[in-house]
Amino acid sequence: MGQRLVVMNLSQQTDSTDLIGGFKPVELRVVCTPIHDEYHRLFAKTFSKQANAKFLDSVRAAFAQKDWLRFVSLLRKSLALVDAKLAAEGKPGAKPAKPLAPGLRARWARLRSALSRFEVQARDQKVKNSFAFSFMEGSLVKAVRNGDWVLLDEINLATTETLESLSGLLEGGSITLNETGALEPVPRHPNFCIFGCMNPPTDVGKKDLPPGLRNRFTEIYVEETTSREDLCVIVTEYLRAVLLHPPVDDIVDFYLRAKQLAATTLADGANQKTHYSLRTLTRALQCTVTLTAQFGFARALYEGFSMSFLTQINHHSYELMHTLIARYLTPKGMSTKQLRTPCARPSDAHILFEYFWIERGSQKPHTPANFILTPSIRTHIASIARAVVSGRNPVLLQGPTSTGKTSMVQYLAQCTGHKFIRINNHEHTDVQEYL
């Protein structure tokens, strides 16, 4: 539909200010920029830019130098000229050359109010380092004004109090920014639409929506895609860019068989039941498309499905799933060992690690002498290298303490010349420590 979609992921920590907005410390330049831009638009529609070029240059210079009081003073002079122009229009027999339209008058009035608020902030002696508190509208409010579509993902993770702040929107109305002292609701654009997505309330933290809130939605239940016809369409669409006639039937047969094994036999590293979904399949297909240029389609298919279906299961399940991949997804008469033969070196900037060419980092590559490579560790590091080569998704290593998760990543980084940065997380880690 050519409509801009704003996705907001809700959680138990989501507050109404995350959706609607709130007062935050911002640099005065951020507060002044909308005033500056609107002023120049209005000036061009009201006065001659050519005749007032020197004055406009002074306004731009005051803004660039962050001389806020001079900036306010210059804009006050323009507002005085607007007042004089309006007064001249009201005199009997007056014929102004360019009368102000009602919409233009309203915009000048709003600019005057915004300039008065900014002047108070600019003159406040308590403001330090050019910072001030300003109400920053949330993404939801901006979407209401602009007519964007909003998707509230995982909506049933948010608290009831947060969701109740949206009751006006869900009833077809709008929201009022009470924090700013506004008496009128935010104008709701006719194209604005709001969607919500949720999983059934069976997982930890996921609850059912309150009936009064849920009844305001048009509810649609989306089942998991298990139809063979649907799966064939999905696989064909993903692989058509790299192969004219991909082995669609073999891939779908493998996926359906893998789901059967996951429900009855397979277990993950914590001995819990394995779950394969459409996301697992599509990630394998995406990885196949990414790796085809480097490896060719046959090996890219093997590596893509190995990365998605092998790495989270235990040793016994690994053997069963690897046999299944070899049966359905490898060319007849070719073993997986033959399939993993290193391809031609992409460039001088690549280093061969196991059977993958990994792009060299900015550091000098070296192989640590104190790292012991056992067969199981080599398998794990090869899985990490495969994920690094695909370059699409982050990598999560799970396992008991002191099993070598950190040292494997460090070893791979040192062998390929990448800088290794370790961040120890704990319950008090804040996002500011990352940023």
Side-chain angles (χ1 to χ4, degrees):
M1 300 295 295
Q3 191 73 34
R4 183 171 182 266
L5 178 66
V6 179
V7 180
M8 308 184 71
N9 293 296
L10 306 188
S11 66
Q12 296 171 343
Q13 286 73 42
T14 302
D15 190 74
S16 59
T17 56
D18 297 324
L19 305 176
I20 299 173
F23 283 94
K24 299 178 182 180
V26 294
E27 189 183 7
L28 280 175
R29 187 184 184 90
V30 176
V31 182
C32 184
T33 298
I35 299 175
H36 173 268
D37 296 343
E38 176 68 0
Y39 168 76
H40 283 282
R41 287 191 291 266
L42 292 178
F43 193 96
K45 294 183 178 182
T46 309
F47 305 103
S48 170
K49 293 176 62 176
Q50 186 176 1
N52 297 278
K54 187 175 180 180
F55 178 79
L56 292 176
D57 289 340
S58 300
V59 173
R60 295 189 185 95
F63 177 79
Q65 297 168 7
K66 299 183 180 181
D67 190 348
W68 307 125
L69 296 182
R70 175 169 170 74
F71 176 82
V72 172
S73 175
L74 292 172
L75 263 63
R76 289 290 185 194
K77 294 181 179 179
S78 298
L79 290 171
L81 293 177
V82 173
D83 293 339
K85 191 177 184 67
L86 293 175
E89 292 179 10
K91 293 182 179 180
K95 295 181 179 180
K98 190 178 180 181
L100 290 181
L104 206 57
R105 296 185 185 188
R107 290 175 63 182
W108 275 111
R110 288 194 295 268
L111 180 68
R112 187 191 300 273
S113 300
L115 186 65
S116 298
R117 292 191 298 269
F118 176 73
E119 184 177 11
V120 172
Q121 293 176 312
R123 292 183 180 277
D124 189 354
Q125 296 300 321
K126 296 181 180 180
V127 175
K128 297 181 180 180
N129 299 323
S130 298
F131 279 87
F133 277 88
S134 178
F135 186 86
M136 304 299 292
E137 292 185 349
S139 300
L140 184 61
V141 175
K142 295 177 182 177
V144 173
R145 293 185 188 275
N146 301 331
D148 300 329
W149 287 2
V150 172
L151 171 61
L152 303 177
D153 209 1
E154 303 288 2
I155 189 173
N156 58 334
L157 285 181
T159 62
T160 304
E161 292 76 13
T162 300
L163 297 178
E164 285 297 335
S165 64
L166 309 178
S167 58
L169 283 177
L170 300 180
E171 291 177 349
S174 186
I175 50 181
T176 304
L177 303 179
N178 298 319
E179 293 86 349
T180 64
L183 301 178
E184 297 294 329
V186 176
R188 176 169 175 155
H189 196 282
N191 290 341
F192 173 77
C193 191
I194 190 167
F195 300 84
C197 288
M198 59 177 278
N199 298 122
T202 54
D203 296 337
V204 176
K206 296 177 180 177
K207 58 186 182 302
D208 211 345
L209 290 177
L213 193 69
R214 186 166 185 164
N215 292 338
R216 295 187 176 104
F217 285 91
T218 299
E219 190 169 342
I220 301 172
Y221 186 81
V222 182
E223 295 181 343
E224 184 181 4
T225 303
T226 56
S227 167
R228 183 180 183 83
E229 182 181 0
D230 290 349
L231 293 172
C232 287
V233 173
I234 292 171
V235 173
T236 301
E237 289 298 320
Y238 268 90
L239 299 182
R240 67 190 308 173
V242 294
L243 198 65
L244 186 60
H245 299 291
V248 176
D249 290 331
D250 291 339
I251 295 173
V252 172
D253 288 340
F254 163 79
Y255 176 68
L256 295 176
R257 180 58 180 154
K259 284 185 66 68
Q260 291 177 357
L261 285 177
T264 57
T265 307
L266 303 181
D268 62 15
N271 290 323
Q272 302 294 323
K273 184 179 292 186
T274 306
H275 177 69
Y276 294 133
S277 66
L278 191 62
R279 178 174 294 172
T280 315
L281 174 63
T282 54
R283 282 188 174 179
L285 295 172
Q286 287 173 343
C287 183
T288 300
V289 173
T290 302
L291 296 179
T292 296
Q294 181 177 347
F295 294 141
F297 179 79
R299 182 179 169 186
L301 186 66
Y302 169 78
E303 300 292 358
F305 277 79
S306 295
M307 187 179 71
S308 294
F309 286 85
L310 281 179
T311 53
Q312 71 269 38
I313 52 183
N314 60 26
H315 179 72
H316 174 70
S317 300
Y318 183 98
E319 297 298 331
L320 293 175
M321 182 55 61
H322 189 266
T323 302
L324 197 67
I325 291 176
R327 174 185 171 189
Y328 285 98
L329 304 180
T330 58
K332 293 181 180 180
M334 181 179 290
S335 66
T336 55
K337 185 176 182 180
Q338 293 173 320
L339 197 63
R340 290 181 301 204
T341 302
C343 58
R345 188 176 188 178
S347 71
D348 293 338
H350 286 75
I351 297 176
L352 182 64
F353 186 89
E354 293 298 320
Y355 43 90
F356 295 101
W357 288 104
I358 298 179
E359 190 172 356
R360 185 174 57 223
S362 59
Q363 309 294 312
K364 182 179 180 181
H366 71 280
T367 302
N370 59 346
F371 190 86
I372 302 174
L373 276 173
T374 65
S376 62
I377 291 296
R378 291 185 75 123
T379 302
H380 292 317
I381 294 183
S383 298
I384 299 173
R386 180 191 295 118
V388 170
V389 170
S390 68
R392 292 193 59 90
N393 303 111
V395 185
L396 175 65
L397 279 67
Q398 179 184 358
T401 183
S402 302
T403 54
K405 300 183 294 296
T406 302
S407 60
M408 283 192 294
V409 179
Q410 185 176 17
Y411 175 77
L412 178 60
Q414 291 172 339
C415 289
T416 56
H418 285 84
K419 188 176 182 180
F420 178 75
I421 300 175
R422 177 177 175 178
I423 301 176
N424 289 303
N425 293 298
H426 49 82
E427 59 182 353
H428 304 295
T429 301
D430 189 77
V431 67
Q432 294 179 358
E433 298 180 41
Y434 293 101
L435 304 178

